[in-house]
Amino acid sequence: MLNERLLTAQDIPLFKLIDRAELIEAFYRLLDGQLLCYPQREVVSGWPPGEAEHDALVLQACDQRGGWLYGVLDEQRLVAAAVVDCLVIHNAGLQLRQLKFLHVSQAYRGRGLGQRLFGLAAEQARRMGGEGLYVSATPSRNTVDFYRRLGCELLSVPDPALYRLEPEDIHLYLRLA
Ligand SMILES: CC(C)(COP(=O)(O)OP(=O)(O)OC[C@H]1O[C@@H](n2cnc3c(N)ncnc32)[C@H](O)[C@@H]1OP(=O)(O)O)[C@@H](O)C(=O)NCCC(=O)NCCS
């Protein structure tokens, strides 16, 4: 049975149990400020080497400064999670908070968990005083279409620091004000 709750620093090791498997058939890139979709097959079979460990450090720092970590568990197994950082990002004339993590395990996708977690993350960003949610999205078509369907818009100028971290990501925001 699924249950959901706030996560703490002790739960961070559970994040690597999320099954990231995905068959990606197409990606987006930006061309002259417009999204261009192009076919490219990529099989994601799990966490790339070192990424779960790196993410754990990022999530620990985020938790320590007051970030929001939230998960859906099937028994004791974490199957979906969302994280919002409390750091303020100024962009698009708004004070934004970043969606630091959103993943749903493969077997649990397509049943509303992603949408629910995204809605809770947006609520949380608003509670932190945010006027919008910053999303640095993996450029796969599925991911970008998911966020755009939920109301995210393309940022004309990505945050320079976040862009340096993920230059291939599609940088989006959801206006909350
Ligand atoms: C993207 C992701 C979080 C979506 O979660 P999910 O639980 O499968 O999505 P939901 O079932 O809540 O779907 C929510 C809405 O998005 C739509 N949607 C979901 N996947 C979609 C896709 N691949 N393409 C287009 N729309 C999609 C659904 O149709 C639904 O809209 P509807 O209510 O109008 O039908 C999930 O697929 C995932 O974890 N993917 C891999 C990791 C990832 O890309 N994370 C984001 C990193 S930035």
Side-chain angles (χ1 to χ4, degrees):
M1 199 180 93
L2 297 186
N3 61 85
E4 52 182 71
R5 62 169 171 84
L6 280 173
L7 301 175
T8 67
Q10 283 82 352
D11 296 311
I12 290 174
L14 301 178
F15 277 71
K16 64 174 178 295
L17 302 178
I18 292 179
D19 176 10
R20 290 186 54 177
E22 185 178 5
L23 171 62
I24 301 174
E25 308 266 16
F27 286 84
Y28 282 110
R29 67 182 158 87
L30 273 180
L31 188 69
D32 299 330
Q34 303 287 321
L35 281 175
L36 177 80
C37 189
Y38 61 98
Q40 184 172 306
R41 226 174 134 83
E42 188 179 313
V43 180
V44 180
S45 52
W47 292 81
E51 193 167 316
E53 294 73 17
H54 172 264
D55 277 9
L57 294 176
V58 170
L59 293 175
Q60 265 161 25
C62 177
D63 176 62
Q64 273 166 17
R65 60 179 169 254
W68 175 84
L69 286 69
Y70 196 82
V72 179
L73 295 100
D74 191 347
E75 305 301 336
Q76 303 306 314
R77 190 178 183 88
L78 188 65
V79 296
V83 174
V84 178
D85 202 337
C86 59
L87 288 179
V88 179
I89 301 168
H90 295 276
N91 201 315
L94 301 171
Q95 279 197 35
L96 307 175
R97 302 295 185 280
Q98 189 192 2
L99 179 67
K100 204 85 184 157
F101 186 99
L102 175 64
H103 280 283
V104 176
S105 278
Q106 186 192 33
Y108 297 82
R109 291 183 198 143
R111 40 166 124 164
L113 285 182
Q115 180 163 12
R116 165 153 179 78
L117 288 176
F118 184 79
L120 291 174
E123 241 173 61
Q124 187 57 39
R126 196 182 277 117
R127 267 195 227 115
M128 288 171 172
E131 299 165 307
L133 192 59
Y134 192 110
V135 179
S136 175
T138 307
S140 70
R141 180 172 63 193
N142 286 349
T143 303
V144 175
D145 286 356
F146 165 79
Y147 286 125
R148 295 187 83 209
R149 190 182 284 228
L150 294 178
C152 291
E153 298 170 53
L154 206 53
L155 276 166
S156 31
V157 183
D159 177 75
L162 295 179
Y163 180 78
R164 270 197 302 278
L165 284 177
E166 301 285 2
E168 289 181 358
D169 273 10
I170 302 298
H171 293 247
L172 305 162
Y173 75 111
L174 178 75
R175 185 181 286 272
L176 297 173

